Amino acid sequence: MDGYLANLPEITRLARAYDAQVMVDDCHATGFMGPQGRGTPAHHGVTVDILTGTLGKALGGAIGGYIAAPQPVVDLLRQRARPYLFSNSLPPAVVAAGIESLELVRDSDDLRQRLFENTQYWRNRLTSAGFNLLPGQHPIVPVMLGDAHLAQAMAARLFELGVYVSGFFFPVVPKGQARIRTQMNAALTRDDLDRAAEAFLQAGRDTGAL
Ligand SMILES: Cc1ncc(COP(=O)(O)O)c(C=O)c1O
């Protein structure tokens, strides 16, 4: 939600010291963080015990996911993970596309570079327009508005201006921390980003957010 990176070096160090296991839900990093898009542990150069990822975000498949873990954990989840146990398997076409997209992200350093360039550009544009962003380098760029009604008004005005975003507010985020969560994409051009930034400026003025 905040586009922050967990301090995995410290977390894994503590886990080792106390004989604990580390589980990382890496759904917001799979495919674009770290070398070859291998995720946040790879970005930090650490290994973790249980790693979850989704096919539905950067990998583009919109459904499905996975848990990579030691065999006893996998065996337990096969018997006890209710959504897994009581759902149909993924359609083979989705699995095939997921495997192919993993191959693609492995060789897509150019796209990852463009994603992070776009992110920096987008962050700079919004900051210089006067918006309050949560700091960082993550392609999830939350525009903090505080008030839930304001976040919804901004999202509605942006939609009229041709930019589709969602307002996030309590209980999805803590009270008083309503926001619009923007996400960068390697396929966006500078023109796209400029047009979106102009729309944010306009909507910010129209709604009183700026
Ligand atoms: C941090 C995190 N983990 C897991 C998921 C679940 O992903 P999926 O809906 O693809 O199963 C989400 C979905 O938004 C998420 O934000």
Side-chain angles (χ1 to χ4, degrees), residues 128-168:
S128 56
F131 286 103
N132 176 22
L133 307 186
L134 290 178
Q137 305 96 45
H138 198 284
I140 291 175
V141 183
V143 182
M144 303 305 284
L145 296 161
D147 179 68
H149 292 109
L150 181 58
Q152 289 174 88
M154 268 289 285
R157 183 70 186 115
L158 279 162
F159 189 66
E160 287 169 359
L161 294 168
V163 176
Y164 179 44
V165 290
S166 297
F168 284 68

CSV table of all heavy atoms in Angstrom, one decimal, residues 128-168:
chain,number,residue,atom,x,y,z
A,128,SER,N,6.6,18.2,-7.9
A,128,SER,CA,6.7,19.6,-8.3
A,128,SER,C,5.4,20.2,-8.5
A,128,SER,O,5.2,21.5,-8.4
A,128,SER,CB,7.6,19.8,-9.5
A,128,SER,OG,7.2,19.0,-10.6
A,129,ALA,N,4.3,19.4,-8.8
A,129,ALA,CA,3.0,20.0,-8.9
A,129,ALA,C,2.4,20.3,-7.5
A,129,ALA,O,1.4,21.0,-7.4
A,129,ALA,CB,2.0,19.0,-9.6
A,130,GLY,N,3.1,19.8,-6.4
A,130,GLY,CA,2.6,20.2,-5.1
A,130,GLY,C,1.9,19.0,-4.3
A,130,GLY,O,1.4,19.3,-3.2
A,131,PHE,N,1.9,17.8,-4.9
A,131,PHE,CA,1.3,16.7,-4.2
A,131,PHE,C,2.2,16.1,-3.2
A,131,PHE,O,3.5,16.2,-3.3
A,131,PHE,CB,0.9,15.6,-5.2
A,131,PHE,CG,-0.3,16.0,-6.0
A,131,PHE,CD1,-0.2,16.5,-7.3
A,131,PHE,CD2,-1.6,16.0,-5.4
A,131,PHE,CE1,-1.3,16.8,-8.1
A,131,PHE,CE2,-2.7,16.4,-6.2
A,131,PHE,CZ,-2.6,16.8,-7.5
A,132,ASN,N,1.6,15.5,-2.2
A,132,ASN,CA,2.3,14.9,-1.1
A,132,ASN,C,2.4,13.4,-1.4
A,132,ASN,O,1.4,12.7,-1.4
A,132,ASN,CB,1.6,15.1,0.2
A,132,ASN,CG,2.2,14.4,1.4
A,132,ASN,OD1,3.4,14.1,1.3
A,132,ASN,ND2,1.4,14.2,2.4
A,133,LEU,N,3.7,12.9,-1.7
A,133,LEU,CA,3.8,11.5,-2.0
A,133,LEU,C,4.5,10.8,-0.8
A,133,LEU,O,5.3,11.5,-0.1
A,133,LEU,CB,4.8,11.3,-3.3
A,133,LEU,CG,4.4,12.0,-4.5
A,133,LEU,CD1,5.3,11.6,-5.6
A,133,LEU,CD2,3.0,11.8,-4.9
A,134,LEU,N,4.3,9.5,-0.7
A,134,LEU,CA,5.2,8.8,0.2
A,134,LEU,C,6.5,8.6,-0.5
A,134,LEU,O,6.5,8.2,-1.7
A,134,LEU,CB,4.5,7.4,0.6
A,134,LEU,CG,3.3,7.5,1.4
A,134,LEU,CD1,2.7,6.1,1.7
A,134,LEU,CD2,3.6,8.2,2.8
A,135,PRO,N,7.6,8.8,0.2
A,135,PRO,CA,8.9,8.8,-0.5
A,135,PRO,C,9.3,7.4,-0.8
A,135,PRO,O,8.8,6.4,-0.3
A,135,PRO,CB,9.8,9.4,0.6
A,135,PRO,CG,9.2,9.2,1.9
A,135,PRO,CD,7.7,9.1,1.6
A,136,GLY,N,10.2,7.3,-1.8
A,136,GLY,CA,10.7,5.9,-2.1
A,136,GLY,C,11.0,5.9,-3.6
A,136,GLY,O,10.8,6.8,-4.4
A,137,GLN,N,11.4,4.7,-4.1
A,137,GLN,CA,11.7,4.5,-5.5
A,137,GLN,C,10.7,3.4,-6.1
A,137,GLN,O,10.8,3.1,-7.3
A,137,GLN,CB,13.1,3.9,-5.7
A,137,GLN,CG,14.2,4.7,-5.1
A,137,GLN,CD,14.6,4.2,-3.8
A,137,GLN,OE1,14.8,3.0,-3.6
A,137,GLN,NE2,14.8,5.1,-2.8
A,138,HIS,N,9.8,2.9,-5.3
A,138,HIS,CA,8.9,1.8,-5.8
A,138,HIS,C,7.9,2.4,-6.8
A,138,HIS,O,7.5,3.5,-6.7
A,138,HIS,CB,8.2,1.3,-4.6
A,138,HIS,CG,7.6,-0.1,-4.8
A,138,HIS,ND1,6.4,-0.3,-5.6
A,138,HIS,CD2,8.0,-1.3,-4.5
A,138,HIS,CE1,6.2,-1.6,-5.7
A,138,HIS,NE2,7.1,-2.2,-5.0
A,139,PRO,N,7.7,1.5,-7.9
A,139,PRO,CA,6.7,2.0,-8.9
A,139,PRO,C,5.3,2.2,-8.4
A,139,PRO,O,4.4,2.7,-9.1
A,139,PRO,CB,6.8,0.8,-9.9
A,139,PRO,CG,8.0,0.1,-9.7
A,139,PRO,CD,8.3,0.3,-8.2
A,140,ILE,N,5.0,1.7,-7.2
A,140,ILE,CA,3.7,2.1,-6.6
A,140,ILE,C,3.9,3.4,-5.9
A,140,ILE,O,4.8,3.6,-5.1
A,140,ILE,CB,3.3,1.0,-5.5
A,140,ILE,CG1,2.9,-0.3,-6.2
A,140,ILE,CG2,2.1,1.6,-4.7
A,140,ILE,CD1,2.6,-1.4,-5.2
A,141,VAL,N,3.2,4.4,-6.4
A,141,VAL,CA,3.4,5.8,-6.0
A,141,VAL,C,2.1,6.3,-5.4
A,141,VAL,O,1.2,6.7,-6.1
A,141,VAL,CB,3.8,6.7,-7.2
A,141,VAL,CG1,4.1,8.1,-6.8
A,141,VAL,CG2,5.0,6.1,-7.9
A,142,PRO,N,2.0,6.3,-4.1
A,142,PRO,CA,0.7,6.7,-3.4
A,142,PRO,C,0.7,8.2,-3.3
A,142,PRO,O,1.7,8.9,-2.8
A,142,PRO,CB,0.8,6.1,-2.0
A,142,PRO,CG,2.0,5.1,-2.1
A,142,PRO,CD,2.9,5.7,-3.1
A,143,VAL,N,-0.4,8.8,-3.8
A,143,VAL,CA,-0.6,10.3,-3.7
A,143,VAL,C,-1.5,10.5,-2.4
A,143,VAL,O,-2.6,10.2,-2.4
A,143,VAL,CB,-1.3,10.9,-4.9
A,143,VAL,CG1,-1.4,12.4,-4.8
A,143,VAL,CG2,-0.5,10.5,-6.2
A,144,MET,N,-0.9,11.1,-1.4
A,144,MET,CA,-1.6,11.1,-0.1
A,144,MET,C,-2.5,12.3,-0.1
A,144,MET,O,-2.1,13.5,-0.4
A,144,MET,CB,-0.5,11.3,1.0
A,144,MET,CG,0.5,10.1,1.1
A,144,MET,SD,-0.3,8.5,1.2
A,144,MET,CE,-0.8,8.4,2.9
A,145,LEU,N,-3.8,12.1,0.3
A,145,LEU,CA,-4.8,13.1,0.3
A,145,LEU,C,-5.4,13.3,1.7
A,145,LEU,O,-6.0,14.3,2.0
A,145,LEU,CB,-5.9,12.9,-0.7
A,145,LEU,CG,-5.3,12.9,-2.2
A,145,LEU,CD1,-6.2,12.2,-3.1
A,145,LEU,CD2,-5.1,14.3,-2.6
A,146,GLY,N,-5.3,12.2,2.5
A,146,GLY,CA,-5.8,12.3,3.9
A,146,GLY,C,-7.2,12.0,4.0
A,146,GLY,O,-7.6,11.0,4.6
A,147,ASP,N,-8.1,12.8,3.4
A,147,ASP,CA,-9.5,12.7,3.6
A,147,ASP,C,-10.1,11.7,2.5
A,147,ASP,O,-9.9,11.9,1.3
A,147,ASP,CB,-10.1,14.1,3.5
A,147,ASP,CG,-11.6,14.1,3.6
A,147,ASP,OD1,-12.1,13.8,4.7
A,147,ASP,OD2,-12.3,14.3,2.6
A,148,ALA,N,-11.0,10.8,3.0
A,148,ALA,CA,-11.6,9.8,2.1
A,148,ALA,C,-12.5,10.5,1.0
A,148,ALA,O,-12.4,10.1,-0.1
A,148,ALA,CB,-12.4,8.8,2.9
A,149,HIS,N,-13.2,11.5,1.4
A,149,HIS,CA,-14.1,12.2,0.4
A,149,HIS,C,-13.3,12.9,-0.6
A,149,HIS,O,-13.6,12.8,-1.8
A,149,HIS,CB,-15.0,13.2,1.1
A,149,HIS,CG,-16.1,12.6,2.0
A,149,HIS,ND1,-16.0,12.6,3.4
A,149,HIS,CD2,-17.1,11.8,1.7
A,149,HIS,CE1,-17.0,11.9,3.9
A,149,HIS,NE2,-17.7,11.4,2.8
A,150,LEU,N,-12.2,13.5,-0.2
A,150,LEU,CA,-11.3,14.2,-1.2
A,150,LEU,C,-10.7,13.2,-2.1
A,150,LEU,O,-10.6,13.4,-3.3
A,150,LEU,CB,-10.2,14.9,-0.4
A,150,LEU,CG,-9.2,15.7,-1.2
A,150,LEU,CD1,-10.0,16.7,-2.1
A,150,LEU,CD2,-8.2,16.4,-0.4
A,151,ALA,N,-10.3,12.0,-1.6
A,151,ALA,CA,-9.7,11.0,-2.5
A,151,ALA,C,-10.7,10.5,-3.5
A,151,ALA,O,-10.4,10.4,-4.7
A,151,ALA,CB,-9.2,9.8,-1.6
A,152,GLN,N,-12.0,10.4,-3.1
A,152,GLN,CA,-13.0,9.9,-4.1
A,152,GLN,C,-13.3,11.1,-5.1
A,152,GLN,O,-13.5,10.8,-6.3
A,152,GLN,CB,-14.2,9.5,-3.3
A,152,GLN,CG,-14.0,8.2,-2.6
A,152,GLN,CD,-15.2,7.9,-1.7
A,152,GLN,OE1,-16.2,7.2,-2.2
A,152,GLN,NE2,-15.2,8.3,-0.5
A,153,ALA,N,-13.3,12.3,-4.6
A,153,ALA,CA,-13.6,13.4,-5.5
A,153,ALA,C,-12.5,13.5,-6.5
A,153,ALA,O,-12.7,13.8,-7.7
A,153,ALA,CB,-13.8,14.7,-4.7
A,154,MET,N,-11.3,13.4,-6.1
A,154,MET,CA,-10.1,13.5,-7.0
A,154,MET,C,-10.2,12.4,-8.0
A,154,MET,O,-10.0,12.6,-9.2
A,154,MET,CB,-8.8,13.3,-6.2
A,154,MET,CG,-8.1,14.5,-5.7
A,154,MET,SD,-7.4,15.5,-7.0
A,154,MET,CE,-5.9,14.6,-7.4
A,155,ALA,N,-10.5,11.1,-7.6
A,155,ALA,CA,-10.6,10.0,-8.5
A,155,ALA,C,-11.7,10.3,-9.5
A,155,ALA,O,-11.5,10.0,-10.7
A,155,ALA,CB,-10.8,8.7,-7.7
A,156,ALA,N,-12.8,10.8,-9.1
A,156,ALA,CA,-13.9,11.0,-10.0
A,156,ALA,C,-13.6,12.1,-11.0
A,156,ALA,O,-13.8,12.0,-12.2
A,156,ALA,CB,-15.2,11.4,-9.2
A,157,ARG,N,-12.9,13.2,-10.6
A,157,ARG,CA,-12.5,14.3,-11.5
A,157,ARG,C,-11.5,13.8,-12.5
A,157,ARG,O,-11.5,14.1,-13.7
A,157,ARG,CB,-12.0,15.5,-10.7
A,157,ARG,CG,-11.6,16.7,-11.5
A,157,ARG,CD,-12.9,17.3,-12.1
A,157,ARG,NE,-12.5,18.4,-13.0
A,157,ARG,CZ,-12.8,18.4,-14.3
A,157,ARG,NH1,-13.4,17.4,-14.8
A,157,ARG,NH2,-12.4,19.4,-15.0
A,158,LEU,N,-10.5,13.0,-12.0
A,158,LEU,CA,-9.5,12.4,-12.9
A,158,LEU,C,-10.1,11.5,-13.9
A,158,LEU,O,-9.7,11.6,-15.1
A,158,LEU,CB,-8.5,11.7,-12.1
A,158,LEU,CG,-7.4,12.5,-11.4
A,158,LEU,CD1,-6.7,11.8,-10.3
A,158,LEU,CD2,-6.4,13.0,-12.4
A,159,PHE,N,-11.2,10.8,-13.6
A,159,PHE,CA,-11.8,9.9,-14.6
A,159,PHE,C,-12.4,10.8,-15.7
A,159,PHE,O,-12.3,10.5,-16.8
A,159,PHE,CB,-12.9,9.1,-13.9
A,159,PHE,CG,-13.5,8.0,-14.7
A,159,PHE,CD1,-12.7,7.0,-15.2
A,159,PHE,CD2,-14.8,8.1,-15.1
A,159,PHE,CE1,-13.2,6.0,-16.0
A,159,PHE,CE2,-15.3,7.1,-16.0
A,159,PHE,CZ,-14.5,6.1,-16.4
A,160,GLU,N,-13.1,11.9,-15.2
A,160,GLU,CA,-13.6,12.8,-16.3
A,160,GLU,C,-12.5,13.4,-17.2
A,160,GLU,O,-12.7,13.6,-18.4
A,160,GLU,CB,-14.3,14.0,-15.6
A,160,GLU,CG,-15.6,13.7,-14.9
A,160,GLU,CD,-16.1,14.8,-14.0
A,160,GLU,OE1,-15.4,15.9,-13.9
A,160,GLU,OE2,-17.2,14.7,-13.4
A,161,LEU,N,-11.3,13.5,-16.6
A,161,LEU,CA,-10.2,14.1,-17.4
A,161,LEU,C,-9.5,13.0,-18.2
A,161,LEU,O,-8.4,13.2,-18.7
A,161,LEU,CB,-9.3,14.8,-16.5
A,161,LEU,CG,-9.8,16.1,-15.8
A,161,LEU,CD1,-8.9,16.6,-14.7
A,161,LEU,CD2,-10.0,17.2,-16.9
A,162,GLY,N,-10.0,11.7,-18.1
A,162,GLY,CA,-9.4,10.7,-18.9
A,162,GLY,C,-8.3,9.9,-18.2
A,162,GLY,O,-7.6,9.1,-18.8
A,163,VAL,N,-8.2,10.0,-16.8
A,163,VAL,CA,-7.2,9.2,-16.1
A,163,VAL,C,-7.9,8.3,-15.1
A,163,VAL,O,-8.6,8.9,-14.2
A,163,VAL,CB,-6.2,10.1,-15.4
A,163,VAL,CG1,-5.2,9.3,-14.6
A,163,VAL,CG2,-5.4,11.0,-16.4
A,164,TYR,N,-7.8,7.0,-15.2
A,164,TYR,CA,-8.5,6.1,-14.3
A,164,TYR,C,-7.7,5.7,-13.1
A,164,TYR,O,-6.6,5.1,-13.3
A,164,TYR,CB,-8.9,4.9,-15.1
A,164,TYR,CG,-9.7,3.9,-14.3
A,164,TYR,CD1,-10.7,4.3,-13.4
A,164,TYR,CD2,-9.4,2.5,-14.4
A,164,TYR,CE1,-11.4,3.3,-12.7
A,164,TYR,CE2,-10.1,1.6,-13.6
A,164,TYR,CZ,-11.1,2.0,-12.8
A,164,TYR,OH,-11.7,1.1,-12.0
A,165,VAL,N,-8.1,6.2,-12.0
A,165,VAL,CA,-7.4,5.8,-10.7
A,165,VAL,C,-8.4,5.5,-9.7
A,165,VAL,O,-9.6,5.9,-9.8
A,165,VAL,CB,-6.5,7.0,-10.2
A,165,VAL,CG1,-5.3,7.3,-11.1
A,165,VAL,CG2,-7.3,8.2,-10.0
A,166,SER,N,-8.0,4.8,-8.6
A,166,SER,CA,-8.9,4.5,-7.5
A,166,SER,C,-8.5,5.2,-6.3
A,166,SER,O,-7.3,5.2,-6.0
A,166,SER,CB,-8.9,3.0,-7.3
A,166,SER,OG,-9.4,2.3,-8.4
A,167,GLY,N,-9.4,5.7,-5.5
A,167,GLY,CA,-9.1,6.2,-4.2
A,167,GLY,C,-9.1,5.0,-3.2
A,167,GLY,O,-9.9,4.1,-3.3
A,168,PHE,N,-8.2,5.1,-2.3
A,168,PHE,CA,-8.1,4.0,-1.2
A,168,PHE,C,-8.3,4.7,0.1
A,168,PHE,O,-7.7,5.8,0.4
A,168,PHE,CB,-6.7,3.4,-1.2
A,168,PHE,CG,-6.5,2.4,-2.3
A,168,PHE,CD1,-6.4,2.8,-3.6
A,168,PHE,CD2,-6.3,1.1,-2.0
A,168,PHE,CE1,-6.1,1.9,-4.6
A,168,PHE,CE2,-6.1,0.1,-3.0
A,168,PHE,CZ,-6.0,0.5,-4.3
